[in-house]
Amino acid sequence: MNNRGQITVFLSILTTSMLLLGLTMIEVARIKMGDARTVEATCGAVENVEAAYCRELFDEYHLLAIDKNFGGQGEGKLEQMVQDYLEYTLSGQTDKLAVEQVALSRYEGLLDNDCEGMKKQISDYMKTYMLTNGAKDILEMLTAEDQAGDDSGNAIEQGREESLEECDKWIGRDPREVLGELVKGGILPLVVSDRGLPSEKKIDTENLPSYGVGAENIEEDSTDFQDIEKFESQIKRKNTFGSSEIMGNMYGVAYALETFNSYTVSRSERPLSCEIEYLICGRDSDMDNLKGVVNRIILHRLPINFAYLVTERKRVAVVEPMAFALALLPGVTYSAAKYLLLGCWAYVETLADVKIMLAGHDIQFMKTDSTWLTDIRNIEELKNIDAQDFKGNDAIGYREYLALLLVENSKYMYYRMADLIQISISMKNDSFLIKNAVCEFSVDVEVSQPAHFIAFIENKGNTNINDDMYRHMCNVSGRY
C-alpha cells in the first residue's frame, strides 16, 4: 500500500511537470506566432506604402519614390498608413495583437548622397535603352577636336614667319569687319531655325535643388579676330575628359536625351522648352540656355573647321590676297593676317553648321570640299544658307553635341534634372518638392500581445515582456 502512495505522488509530480512544459511550449509557440505575424504584417504595410509612389514622377520621368510630405499632409500621413494597415491586418486575431507604436525611422531621398538614389534608378532604367557605342562616339569626337586643335596650332606656329612678295591685288572690306556687323545683334538671330528665338521668360530658381551651386556665366567669344596669340590659345583648347569619366556619365546623358525637351525636340508641354540646354548651362531662361549651348558648340566646332581650312589650298589661296593687302597696314604681319582671316572664315562656317543643326539636320563632322558651305568673300550669305542635311557615316547633329556637352558639364547634371522635375510636377501638384521624394525608408513597429505564463518565459530576440504583455518589435526597410 505504501508503494502505491509513492507512485501516485511520483505520477502527480510528473503529470504536473509535463503539463507545465506543454503549456510553456504552447506559450512559446504563441510568442513565435505573434512575432511572425508582426513581421509579416509590417512587410505588407511597407509594400502598401511603396505602392503610394508619386505617379507623376514615375509616369513622366520613370523614377520611383514616395512623397514623404504626401501632398501636403505631412510625414505623419505615411506613419498613419502603416498603422492603419497593421491594425486592419492584425484585427480579429485570437491572440489579441495590438499596435502600440509606428515610426518611420530612416529616409533616403533621391537627392541624398549626391543624388545617389536618382543615379541608380536612372542607370537601371537606361540599361535597356543605352547604346553601347555612345561613349565611344563622344570620346572619338573629343579626340578629333584635340587633334584638330593641335594641327591648327602647329600650322599657326609654323606659319609665323610666312611672307608673300607678290600677290593679286585685292580691294574690299576686311571680312572681319563684315562679320562684326553681322553678329552685332547677337549670334542666335543668325542661327535659329524657323522655330524662332526661344522664350526670354525667367524661372524662379531660389527653391530649386541646384540653387547655390550656381549657373556659369557663358560669354560669347570674341569675333573680331585681331589677336593671333588669343586665337591660337582658343584653337588649342584641350578637352579634359577621359573614357572612364565619359562612361560613368553615359546613363545619365542618355536618360536626359530621352526624357527632356530641347530646342529641336519637344516631348511634352513643360515650363521650359530648352530643358537639356538648362542641364548644360543652368541659366534661368530658354534664351540664355540656348545661347550658352550655341557658344559651347562653336568652341567645339571651330578647331575642326579651321584644321580643314588650313590644309585646303584652294581656299587658302582666296585668303592670301586679303592677307597681303592687310599686311601693308602698320603693325600687321602677313602670317598673322592670313591665319586670323582663316579663323574668321572657319568661324562663319561654324555658324552655318550650328544653323543647320538647330534646324534638326546633320552636318559632316570632318569637312570636305563638297560639304564646305561658306565663302569669305560673301559672308552676308550666311543668312540665306539652306538647311541642308548630310547623310553618311560621318554625320553628326545637335543631339550628338548635346550629349558631348552634357558629359562636359555633368557636375551639376543630376541636380538640374531634379530642378526640371520639380518645376514640371509642381505645375500639377504645388506642394511637390523633390527633396521630399523618398526612395528608401525604414519602419519601426511595436506590437503587444497578452502574456499567459510569464514566469516561464524570458526576454528573447525581438520580443520583450513588460506589464504582463509581450512586446514584438521589428524594423522593416522598403526601397525601390
Side-chain angles (χ1 to χ4, degrees), residues 144 148 300-312 315 345-357 362-374 382 385-386 388-390 394-396 401:
H300 284 279
R301 284 298 304 166
L302 186 59
I304 296 289
N305 288 336
F306 184 81
Y308 165 77
L309 194 55
V310 296
T311 64
E312 182 62 20
R315 291 185 170 83
W345 195 355
Y347 186 86
V348 174
E349 182 73 12
T350 299
L351 293 182
D353 290 341
V354 173
K355 184 175 183 179
I356 290 172
M357 288 190 286
D362 288 346
I363 61 170
Q364 187 175 21
F365 182 68
M366 302 296 291
K367 291 284 185 173
T368 62
D369 180 62
S370 62
T371 56
W372 191 268
L373 301 167
T374 59
L382 174 64
I385 286 179
D386 294 330
Q388 307 172 33
D389 196 2
F390 176 77
D394 205 21
I396 191 170
Y401 271 106

Side-chain angles (χ1 to χ4, degrees), residues 4 19 26 34 55 57 70 92 104 109 112 128 152 171 174 179-180 243 247 313 325 337 340 369 384 391 407 465:
R4 290 180 183 178
L19 179 61
I26 291 172
R55 187 164 293 278
L57 187 62
F70 215 84
L104 292 174
D112 291 344
T128 57
S152 301
I171 299 176
D174 188 334
L179 176 62
S243 58
M247 182 59 74
R313 183 60 200 156
L340 286 170
D369 180 62
N384 303 319
K391 301 293 184 183
V407 170
I465 301 172

Side-chain angles (χ1 to χ4, degrees), residues 61 63 111 118 122 209-210 249 251-257 259-260 275 278-279 406 412-423 434:
Y61 298 102
L63 297 174
L111 304 186
M118 180 184 287
I122 286 174
S210 70
N249 289 299
Y251 285 130
V253 169
Y255 173 82
L257 294 174
T259 306
F260 296 103
E275 292 183 311
Y278 174 82
L279 298 181
L406 283 168
Y412 306 124
M413 179 173 64
Y414 288 96
Y415 284 103
R416 289 173 182 167
M417 285 183 191
D419 292 348
L420 296 176
I421 292 170
Q422 179 170 304
I423 292 170
I434 197 167

Side-chain angles (χ1 to χ4, degrees), residues 70 88 134 136 167 177 242 246 299 317 353 365 393 423 428 440:
F70 215 84
Y88 176 81
K136 179 183 176 183
C167 189
E177 293 180 4
I246 295 172
L299 284 176
D353 290 341
F365 182 68
N393 293 331
I423 292 170
K428 306 170 187 176
E440 185 173 343

Side-chain angles (χ1 to χ4, degrees), residues 147 149-163 228 232 236 306 310-311 334-336 338-339:
Q147 186 61 52
D150 289 340
D151 293 344
S152 301
N154 292 336
I156 295 173
E157 186 69 29
Q158 294 170 9
R160 286 187 184 280
E161 305 303 323
E162 282 186 54
S163 63
I228 190 64
E232 183 180 354
K236 293 175 71 174
F306 184 81
V310 296
T311 64
Y334 168 76
S335 64
K338 172 183 173 180
Y339 288 104

